[in-house]
Amino acid sequence: MPWNPDQYNKFRAERAAPFFDLLALVDVRPELKVVDLGCGTGELTRQLADQLPGSDVLGLDRSREMLSKSVAFVRPGLRFEQGQIEELQGQWDLIFSNAALQWLDHHETRIPAFWNHLNPGGQLVVQMPANHDHPSHLLARELAEGEPFRAFFPEGGRKPPVLPVEDYAEMLYDLGAVQITALMKVYPHVLEDASSIVEWVKGTLLVPYLERLPAEYGSQFLSLYTQQLSRQLPQKPVFYGFKRILFAATRP
């Protein structure tokens, strides 16, 4: 199951809200060299670029399907490339990432690696979901580790790599960062019922699970996931509180 931009955009406004909070942490200066790690469809990257006059902005994402939508947002000073964000090269004045680094493991080494790609005076600005202890996330891991799916996940369900927010603040301090901001925010979403949460996570959380499963098993996984989540969250409407970590810091 590849990334599906149409599925992802079913909750477009809700997914965009953290971006604007993250954008508010950017030190806006002209003529920056900027990379957006995990730019997705590019729509929000365009809004980032439009806030940075005269800047050269690159949107980088590994998903060909998501990047297919980015053509509509290309303009002078803004381009998009397919690539692995963990293989970032070059030096940058702003490394920006909205809801992407949660897919990378080993943040203890990843964050310092990105930091080393900043120019003096450059800024690292990151937002990541931190909802891994919510029933919607725990259930996916539980199913992957049980029958009949465990054969496709010999290492078990994916372990969340996101650290406590204070760890990022301390890590940035140890790197010599200044102007450190690190916070967790709960984004309240009121959805029709648990099946709406399923539609939400089909665009993100469940993608790496379903892409590992043959079609027959994928359908079974999704059916069991929907049934069990509906039993756990029977409310109508249902409150889906979504935690996210945001941090920003400047390299002296």
Side-chain angles (χ1 to χ4, degrees), residues 100-108 110 128-133 137-146 150 152-164 168 205 208-209 212:
L101 299 192
Q102 73 276 9
W103 298 113
L104 302 183
D105 293 328
H106 310 301
H107 283 199
E108 299 87 347
R110 294 290 185 196
M128 297 175 292
N131 226 31
H132 41 268
D133 57 353
H137 289 56
L138 294 173
L139 178 57
R141 286 183 59 192
E142 180 184 324
L143 287 175
E145 292 171 355
R150 65 192 311 168
F152 300 98
F153 302 95
E155 74 286 2
R158 185 171 186 269
K159 308 302 186 290
V162 177
L163 304 171
Y168 293 105
L205 168 72
Y209 288 97
R212 296 270 292 272

Side-chain angles (χ1 to χ4, degrees), residues 36 38-40 58-68 70 79-85 87:
D36 181 7
C39 63
L58 168 66
L60 185 65
D61 201 284
R62 72 176 180 86
S63 171
R64 183 181 67 254
E65 292 80 11
M66 296 291 272
L67 284 172
S68 68
S70 69
R79 67 193 191 283
F80 298 91
E81 292 180 5
Q82 185 178 4
Q84 302 293 332
I85 62 177
E87 297 174 1

Side-chain angles (χ1 to χ4, degrees), residues 179-214:
Q179 299 176 339
I180 300 170
T181 298
L183 59 95
M184 177 179 283
K185 181 174 179 178
V186 177
Y187 290 83
H189 305 300
V190 178
L191 304 180
E192 184 177 354
D193 53 24
S195 64
S196 297
I197 296 179
V198 176
E199 287 301 305
W200 180 297
V201 298
K202 276 170 62 178
T204 50
L205 168 72
L206 295 185
V207 172
Y209 288 97
L210 296 176
E211 69 183 359
R212 296 270 292 272
L213 295 169

